[in-house]
Amino acid sequence: MKDFLFMIYACEEQKKEDFINALASEPDPYDPIVQEQIAYNLGIDFDTWSKWDWDYIQSEVEKRWQV
């Protein structure tokens, strides 16, 4: 059971990283339509992420955007 829970956690963390990388490669990562399209393509449900997740995503996109 512990391995299964870790797999779920790891998958969700990878989705966040994929989302961050995809946003950082966009001309305007703050465009809500772009964000929704990327999330849809990656199979992401925004409702599962907390405020802290969003803070992390924003911080990482700012670091990686147009680097």
Side-chain angles (χ1 to χ4, degrees):
M1 180 66 166
K2 192 168 30 170
D3 291 339
F4 177 72
L5 294 175
F6 177 76
M7 293 278 294
I8 292 172
Y9 168 78
C11 182
E12 288 302 309
E13 291 303 304
Q14 186 60 55
K15 283 183 181 181
K16 274 186 234 170
E17 290 301 315
D18 293 344
F19 184 67
I20 290 165
N21 289 330
L23 282 177
S25 70
E26 289 291 326
D28 183 6
Y30 300 104
D31 182 341
I33 294 170
V34 169
Q35 293 175 0
E36 289 176 15
Q37 185 62 50
I38 291 170
Y40 177 80
N41 291 342
L42 294 173
I44 293 170
D45 178 6
F46 287 153
D47 294 331
T48 62
W49 288 345
S50 69
K51 177 196 179 313
W52 295 278
D53 292 324
W54 284 107
D55 289 345
Y56 171 75
I57 290 166
Q58 182 177 0
S59 172
E60 288 300 308
V61 168
E62 289 172 2
K63 287 180 196 173
R64 300 176 196 186
W65 188 44
Q66 297 179 353
V67 173

XYZ file of all heavy atoms in Angstrom:
577
model
N 0.823 -1.190 0.000
C 0.000 0.000 0.000
C 0.872 1.260 0.000
O 0.565 2.228 -0.670
C -0.932 -0.035 1.222
C -1.835 1.147 1.311
S -3.010 1.156 -0.054
C -4.163 2.333 0.475
N 1.960 1.211 0.769
C 2.852 2.366 0.844
C 3.451 2.682 -0.526
O 3.568 3.838 -0.899
C 3.945 2.102 1.881
C 4.731 3.311 2.252
C 5.634 3.173 3.460
C 6.182 1.837 3.732
N 7.226 1.822 4.766
N 3.819 1.643 -1.266
C 4.372 1.839 -2.608
C 3.344 2.456 -3.549
O 3.673 3.321 -4.362
C 4.869 0.521 -3.191
C 6.103 -0.004 -2.481
O 6.799 0.793 -1.830
O 6.353 -1.215 -2.576
N 2.108 2.032 -3.426
C 1.036 2.568 -4.258
C 0.827 4.054 -3.986
O 0.703 4.855 -4.921
C -0.260 1.783 -4.018
C -1.424 2.312 -4.790
C -1.501 2.138 -6.158
C -2.456 2.997 -4.152
C -2.572 2.630 -6.888
C -3.528 3.492 -4.870
C -3.591 3.307 -6.244
N 0.807 4.438 -2.736
C 0.635 5.851 -2.373
C 1.806 6.693 -2.863
O 1.621 7.812 -3.333
C 0.453 6.001 -0.869
C -0.826 5.396 -0.296
C -0.827 5.506 1.226
C -2.049 6.044 -0.905
N 3.004 6.136 -2.772
C 4.166 6.859 -3.279
C 4.067 7.042 -4.794
O 4.412 8.100 -5.312
C 5.474 6.153 -2.921
C 6.659 6.861 -3.500
C 7.125 8.033 -2.925
C 7.278 6.385 -4.639
C 8.198 8.719 -3.468
C 8.355 7.061 -5.201
C 8.818 8.227 -4.614
N 3.592 6.031 -5.496
C 3.442 6.132 -6.950
C 2.452 7.242 -7.318
O 2.693 7.999 -8.257
C 2.962 4.796 -7.529
C 3.965 3.684 -7.429
S 5.179 3.721 -8.728
C 4.172 3.378 -10.134
N 1.370 7.350 -6.578
C 0.400 8.424 -6.824
C 1.051 9.776 -6.588
O 0.916 10.693 -7.401
C -0.849 8.250 -5.936
C -1.629 7.012 -6.374
C -1.737 9.495 -5.987
C -2.762 6.640 -5.448
N 1.750 9.902 -5.477
C 2.446 11.158 -5.153
C 3.458 11.517 -6.240
O 3.497 12.653 -6.716
C 3.146 11.024 -3.788
C 4.114 12.139 -3.506
C 3.658 13.380 -3.094
C 5.483 11.950 -3.666
C 4.548 14.418 -2.852
C 6.376 12.978 -3.427
C 5.903 14.206 -3.006
O 6.785 15.230 -2.771
N 4.266 10.563 -6.637
C 5.300 10.807 -7.648
C 4.673 11.215 -8.978
O 5.173 12.112 -9.668
C 6.175 9.569 -7.824
N 3.571 10.594 -9.341
C 2.883 10.928 -10.584
C 2.360 12.366 -10.543
O 2.503 13.112 -11.512
C 1.737 9.945 -10.809
S 0.852 10.211 -12.347
N 1.779 12.759 -9.432
C 1.270 14.126 -9.297
C 2.403 15.147 -9.325
O 2.266 16.212 -9.926
C 0.450 14.275 -8.011
C -0.886 13.583 -8.066
C -1.756 14.074 -9.220
O -1.933 15.308 -9.376
O -2.252 13.228 -9.975
N 3.507 14.840 -8.686
C 4.658 15.747 -8.716
C 5.216 15.874 -10.131
O 5.599 16.964 -10.557
C 5.741 15.280 -7.743
C 5.357 15.421 -6.285
C 4.994 16.848 -5.903
O 5.819 17.767 -6.117
O 3.878 17.046 -5.402
N 5.234 14.774 -10.872
C 5.709 14.819 -12.255
C 4.780 15.655 -13.119
O 5.235 16.403 -13.981
C 5.853 13.410 -12.830
C 6.487 13.401 -14.201
C 7.893 14.003 -14.193
O 8.741 13.566 -13.439
N 8.123 14.995 -15.036
N 3.477 15.545 -12.880
C 2.520 16.376 -13.619
C 2.790 17.863 -13.360
O 2.715 18.671 -14.282
C 1.086 16.040 -13.224
C 0.549 14.785 -13.836
C -0.900 14.589 -13.445
C -1.472 13.322 -14.026
N -2.887 13.146 -13.650
N 3.092 18.203 -12.116
C 3.413 19.602 -11.795
C 4.650 20.055 -12.550
O 4.681 21.148 -13.116
C 3.653 19.783 -10.295
C 2.413 20.015 -9.504
C 2.767 20.331 -8.081
C 2.009 19.367 -7.213
N 2.403 19.376 -5.837
N 5.682 19.224 -12.556
C 6.913 19.582 -13.258
C 6.676 19.708 -14.765
O 7.196 20.628 -15.400
C 8.017 18.561 -12.968
C 8.542 18.627 -11.551
C 9.129 19.983 -11.194
O 9.892 20.557 -11.999
O 8.818 20.482 -10.105
N 5.888 18.805 -15.322
C 5.564 18.883 -16.746
C 4.782 20.158 -17.053
O 5.028 20.825 -18.062
C 4.760 17.663 -17.191
C 5.560 16.372 -17.144
O 6.811 16.432 -17.058
O 4.924 15.296 -17.173
N 3.864 20.506 -16.173
C 3.061 21.722 -16.336
C 3.958 22.960 -16.263
O 3.863 23.858 -17.100
C 1.995 21.762 -15.238
C 1.031 22.908 -15.335
C 0.129 23.000 -16.378
C 0.999 23.881 -14.351
C -0.777 24.058 -16.458
C 0.103 24.937 -14.419
C -0.797 25.025 -15.474
N 4.861 22.982 -15.298
C 5.788 24.113 -15.144
C 6.654 24.252 -16.390
O 6.808 25.355 -16.928
C 6.662 23.924 -13.883
C 5.819 24.086 -12.630
C 7.848 24.883 -13.888
C 6.482 23.578 -11.365
N 7.215 23.165 -16.853
C 8.087 23.216 -18.034
C 7.326 23.671 -19.276
O 7.849 24.456 -20.075
C 8.754 21.867 -18.271
C 9.809 21.566 -17.235
O 10.451 22.467 -16.698
N 9.984 20.298 -16.927
N 6.101 23.185 -19.423
C 5.300 23.589 -20.582
C 4.959 25.073 -20.497
O 5.056 25.793 -21.498
C 4.030 22.748 -20.664
N 4.577 25.549 -19.324
C 4.272 26.976 -19.166
C 5.499 27.834 -19.415
O 5.416 28.881 -20.055
C 3.733 27.268 -17.762
C 2.291 26.923 -17.490
C 1.962 27.207 -16.022
C 1.353 27.675 -18.396
N 6.627 27.407 -18.908
C 7.858 28.192 -19.043
C 8.302 28.310 -20.497
O 9.045 29.233 -20.835
C 8.974 27.577 -18.200
N 7.827 27.424 -21.345
C 8.210 27.496 -22.758
C 7.236 28.324 -23.596
O 7.449 28.498 -24.792
C 8.329 26.087 -23.338
O 7.057 25.485 -23.438
N 6.189 28.826 -22.976
C 5.180 29.630 -23.673
C 5.566 31.108 -23.693
O 6.211 31.588 -22.756
C 3.822 29.492 -22.975
C 3.174 28.150 -23.139
C 2.717 27.904 -24.563
O 2.304 28.858 -25.258
O 2.781 26.733 -24.985
N 5.150 31.835 -24.734
C 5.409 33.283 -24.773
C 4.720 34.031 -23.621
O 5.251 35.003 -23.101
C 4.843 33.729 -26.117
C 4.665 32.502 -26.923
C 4.540 31.350 -25.965
N 3.518 33.560 -23.233
C 2.788 34.186 -22.122
C 2.260 33.098 -21.190
O 1.121 32.637 -21.330
C 1.628 35.035 -22.651
C 0.880 35.756 -21.534
O 1.320 35.700 -20.364
O -0.151 36.386 -21.835
N 3.073 32.677 -20.217
C 2.641 31.602 -19.326
C 1.506 32.007 -18.379
O 0.920 31.153 -17.728
C 3.903 31.265 -18.543
C 4.731 32.492 -18.592
C 4.417 33.141 -19.902
N 1.183 33.291 -18.326
C 0.132 33.761 -17.418
C -1.230 33.832 -18.093
O -2.216 34.178 -17.447
C 0.521 35.119 -16.832
C 1.814 35.018 -16.072
C 2.997 35.499 -16.609
C 1.866 34.382 -14.842
C 4.196 35.367 -15.920
C 3.057 34.245 -14.153
C 4.213 34.750 -14.699
O 5.400 34.606 -14.030
N -1.295 33.485 -19.368
C -2.560 33.476 -20.094
C -3.401 32.289 -19.606
O -2.981 31.137 -19.743
C -2.289 33.355 -21.598
C -3.545 33.378 -22.440
O -4.647 33.135 -21.918
O -3.410 33.656 -23.644
N -4.588 32.549 -19.033
C -5.408 31.453 -18.504
C -5.809 30.421 -19.560
O -5.929 29.234 -19.258
C -6.639 32.137 -17.939
C -6.381 33.587 -17.963
C -5.190 33.850 -18.807
N -5.992 30.871 -20.786
C -6.363 29.927 -21.853
C -5.206 28.979 -22.135
O -5.401 27.773 -22.297
C -6.808 30.684 -23.122
C -8.100 31.453 -22.830
C -6.989 29.719 -24.295
C -8.516 32.414 -23.899
N -3.995 29.512 -22.165
C -2.797 28.676 -22.361
C -2.673 27.691 -21.208
O -2.415 26.496 -21.418
C -1.535 29.559 -22.470
C -0.268 28.724 -22.400
C -1.564 30.384 -23.747
N -2.863 28.161 -19.985
C -2.772 27.296 -18.808
C -3.795 26.166 -18.874
O -3.463 25.008 -18.606
C -2.971 28.111 -17.531
C -1.865 29.087 -17.264
C -2.136 29.962 -16.065
O -3.170 29.852 -15.403
N -1.202 30.859 -15.783
N -5.021 26.498 -19.240
C -6.065 25.478 -19.322
C -5.770 24.455 -20.413
O -6.009 23.268 -20.224
C -7.422 26.137 -19.562
C -7.933 26.881 -18.342
C -9.245 27.621 -18.614
O -9.908 27.334 -19.634
O -9.594 28.490 -17.807
N -5.269 24.921 -21.550
C -4.957 24.006 -22.644
C -3.833 23.045 -22.261
O -3.902 21.845 -22.525
C -4.586 24.770 -23.916
C -4.378 23.882 -25.112
C -5.637 23.115 -25.500
O -6.693 23.703 -25.634
N -5.514 21.811 -25.667
N -2.798 23.575 -21.630
C -1.686 22.726 -21.189
C -2.181 21.715 -20.160
O -1.853 20.528 -20.232
C -0.526 23.574 -20.631
C 0.133 24.360 -21.772
C 0.489 22.699 -19.909
C 1.130 25.398 -21.306
N -2.970 22.189 -19.202
C -3.502 21.292 -18.178
C -4.347 20.188 -18.814
O -4.221 19.012 -18.443
C -4.328 22.081 -17.165
N -5.178 20.552 -19.766
C -6.012 19.565 -20.449
C -5.147 18.522 -21.152
O -5.387 17.321 -21.041
C -6.947 20.261 -21.436
C -7.789 19.305 -22.233
C -8.927 18.740 -21.683
C -7.427 18.955 -23.533
C -9.695 17.848 -22.405
C -8.184 18.063 -24.267
C -9.327 17.506 -23.707
O -10.072 16.615 -24.425
N -4.133 19.003 -21.879
C -3.248 18.091 -22.616
C -2.501 17.136 -21.693
O -2.186 16.009 -22.079
C -2.252 18.874 -23.457
C -2.900 19.594 -24.622
O -4.009 19.282 -25.029
N -2.204 20.589 -25.153
N -2.200 17.602 -20.475
C -1.461 16.773 -19.512
C -2.380 15.971 -18.583
O -1.902 15.206 -17.755
C -0.526 17.654 -18.674
C 0.611 18.328 -19.429
C 1.351 19.309 -18.515
C 1.574 17.297 -19.996
N -3.682 16.169 -18.711
C -4.621 15.451 -17.848
C -4.602 15.937 -16.418
O -4.736 15.148 -15.482
N -4.454 17.252 -16.251
C -4.352 17.845 -14.919
C -5.679 18.449 -14.507
O -6.331 19.140 -15.292
C -3.251 18.925 -14.900
C -1.884 18.276 -15.105
C -3.292 19.730 -13.618
C -0.766 19.261 -15.337
N -6.052 18.204 -13.258
C -7.241 18.813 -12.659
C -6.764 19.847 -11.644
O -6.205 19.510 -10.608
C -8.086 17.743 -11.969
C -9.314 18.302 -11.292
O -9.606 19.515 -11.440
O -9.995 17.527 -10.596
N -6.960 21.129 -11.974
C -6.502 22.217 -11.108
C -7.076 22.135 -9.693
O -6.472 22.617 -8.746
C -6.902 23.574 -11.684
C -6.114 24.001 -12.884
C -6.695 24.858 -13.799
C -4.824 23.591 -13.112
C -5.992 25.292 -14.917
C -4.109 24.013 -14.226
C -4.702 24.869 -15.128
N -8.259 21.563 -9.550
C -8.925 21.538 -8.247
C -8.191 20.691 -7.206
O -8.472 20.798 -6.014
C -10.363 21.033 -8.389
C -11.225 21.985 -9.196
O -10.939 23.206 -9.182
O -12.180 21.514 -9.839
N -7.260 19.871 -7.656
C -6.547 19.009 -6.706
C -5.319 19.697 -6.109
O -4.707 19.166 -5.196
C -6.106 17.692 -7.371
O -5.198 17.987 -8.436
C -7.300 16.923 -7.901
N -4.965 20.880 -6.641
C -3.760 21.564 -6.177
C -4.093 22.612 -5.123
O -5.083 23.327 -5.214
C -3.021 22.220 -7.337
C -2.340 21.222 -8.223
C -2.078 19.914 -7.944
C -1.839 21.458 -9.534
N -1.429 19.324 -8.998
C -1.269 20.247 -9.994
C -1.793 22.561 -10.358
C -0.677 20.119 -11.234
C -1.199 22.438 -11.610
C -0.651 21.228 -12.032
N -3.231 22.705 -4.142
C -3.421 23.655 -3.042
C -2.803 25.009 -3.382
O -2.123 25.163 -4.399
C -2.752 23.113 -1.778
O -1.340 23.139 -1.935
N -3.015 25.964 -2.513
C -2.401 27.283 -2.660
C -0.879 27.154 -2.699
O -0.199 27.828 -3.461
C -2.816 28.195 -1.515
C -2.161 29.562 -1.558
C -2.286 30.283 -0.229
C -1.630 31.616 -0.202
N -0.294 31.727 -0.728
N -0.332 26.256 -1.899
C 1.119 26.062 -1.857
C 1.628 25.471 -3.168
O 2.710 25.818 -3.624
C 1.503 25.197 -0.662
C 1.192 25.894 0.619
C 1.955 26.833 1.250
C 0.012 25.754 1.390
N 1.322 27.285 2.381
C 0.118 26.634 2.500
C -1.142 24.985 1.281
C -0.869 26.758 3.466
C -2.128 25.109 2.251
C -1.977 25.986 3.323
N 0.847 24.592 -3.749
C 1.218 24.064 -5.067
C 1.288 25.194 -6.080
O 2.248 25.289 -6.853
C 0.204 23.021 -5.554
C 0.218 21.744 -4.745
O 1.315 21.326 -4.312
O -0.868 21.156 -4.555
N 0.277 26.056 -6.079
C 0.248 27.174 -7.020
C 1.378 28.155 -6.775
O 1.962 28.704 -7.720
C -1.106 27.877 -6.990
C -2.125 27.075 -7.719
C -3.150 26.359 -7.179
C -2.195 26.867 -9.125
N -3.850 25.717 -8.166
C -3.287 26.020 -9.372
C -1.438 27.313 -10.207
C -3.639 25.611 -10.660
C -1.798 26.909 -11.487
C -2.882 26.071 -11.699
N 1.707 28.400 -5.514
C 2.847 29.278 -5.202
C 4.141 28.689 -5.760
O 4.967 29.404 -6.337
C 2.981 29.484 -3.691
C 1.878 30.340 -3.107
O 1.154 31.016 -3.882
O 1.731 30.333 -1.870
N 4.312 27.392 -5.588
C 5.500 26.709 -6.110
C 5.534 26.793 -7.639
O 6.581 27.102 -8.230
C 5.507 25.241 -5.655
C 6.581 24.417 -6.323
C 7.916 24.554 -5.944
C 6.273 23.512 -7.335
C 8.909 23.807 -6.562
C 7.247 22.766 -7.958
C 8.571 22.914 -7.566
O 9.553 22.191 -8.187
N 4.403 26.529 -8.274
C 4.333 26.574 -9.734
C 4.688 27.958 -10.240
O 5.509 28.107 -11.157
C 2.932 26.137 -10.218
C 2.746 24.633 -9.974
C 2.714 26.493 -11.689
C 1.314 24.152 -10.086
N 4.107 28.972 -9.642
C 4.391 30.344 -10.074
C 5.868 30.678 -9.904
O 6.494 31.241 -10.802
C 3.545 31.339 -9.298
C 3.778 32.763 -9.745
C 2.884 33.755 -9.025
O 2.078 33.393 -8.179
N 3.033 35.012 -9.364
N 6.425 30.313 -8.782
C 7.835 30.587 -8.517
C 8.737 29.890 -9.531
O 9.681 30.484 -10.064
C 8.180 30.127 -7.097
O 9.549 30.200 -6.865
N 8.445 28.636 -9.819
C 9.269 27.869 -10.754
C 9.123 28.362 -12.188
O 10.106 28.408 -12.927
C 8.954 26.382 -10.659
C 9.466 25.738 -9.393
C 10.971 25.857 -9.247
O 11.697 25.500 -10.185
O 11.427 26.321 -8.194
N 7.916 28.734 -12.584
C 7.724 29.259 -13.939
C 8.515 30.552 -14.097
O 9.188 30.765 -15.108
C 6.219 29.482 -14.256
C 6.048 30.290 -15.536
C 5.499 28.145 -14.368
N 8.479 31.408 -13.083
C 9.243 32.655 -13.141
C 10.743 32.399 -13.281
O 11.431 33.090 -14.018
C 8.961 33.516 -11.916
C 7.563 34.115 -11.934
C 7.183 34.817 -10.640
O 8.031 34.888 -9.704
O 6.053 35.296 -10.554
N 11.229 31.377 -12.595
C 12.670 31.046 -12.688
C 13.034 30.500 -14.064
O 14.104 30.794 -14.580
C 13.025 29.980 -11.644
C 13.070 30.453 -10.235
C 13.427 29.279 -9.345
C 13.127 29.553 -7.893
N 13.314 28.351 -7.068
N 12.161 29.680 -14.624
C 12.492 28.950 -15.856
C 12.062 29.665 -17.129
O 12.506 29.307 -18.215
C 11.814 27.566 -15.832
C 12.248 26.714 -14.674
C 11.501 25.417 -14.642
N 11.620 24.768 -13.357
C 11.160 23.571 -13.078
N 10.540 22.877 -14.008
N 11.297 23.054 -11.881
N 11.199 30.657 -17.007
C 10.654 31.305 -18.189
C 11.732 32.100 -18.905
O 12.411 32.917 -18.302
C 9.496 32.211 -17.788
C 8.721 32.801 -18.921
C 8.305 32.141 -20.043
C 8.258 34.140 -19.028
N 7.606 33.012 -20.835
C 7.552 34.249 -20.247
C 8.367 35.248 -18.223
C 6.967 35.426 -20.669
C 7.773 36.422 -18.641
C 7.086 36.500 -19.840
N 11.913 31.820 -20.161
C 12.874 32.502 -21.025
C 14.291 32.528 -20.440
O 14.974 33.536 -20.472
C 12.415 33.926 -21.341
C 11.121 33.957 -22.105
C 10.648 35.362 -22.410
O 11.205 36.328 -21.946
N 9.615 35.438 -23.212
N 14.689 31.409 -19.886
C 16.033 31.304 -19.305
C 17.042 31.102 -20.395
O 16.855 30.480 -21.375
C 16.097 30.152 -18.281
C 17.496 29.911 -17.810
C 15.161 30.436 -17.137
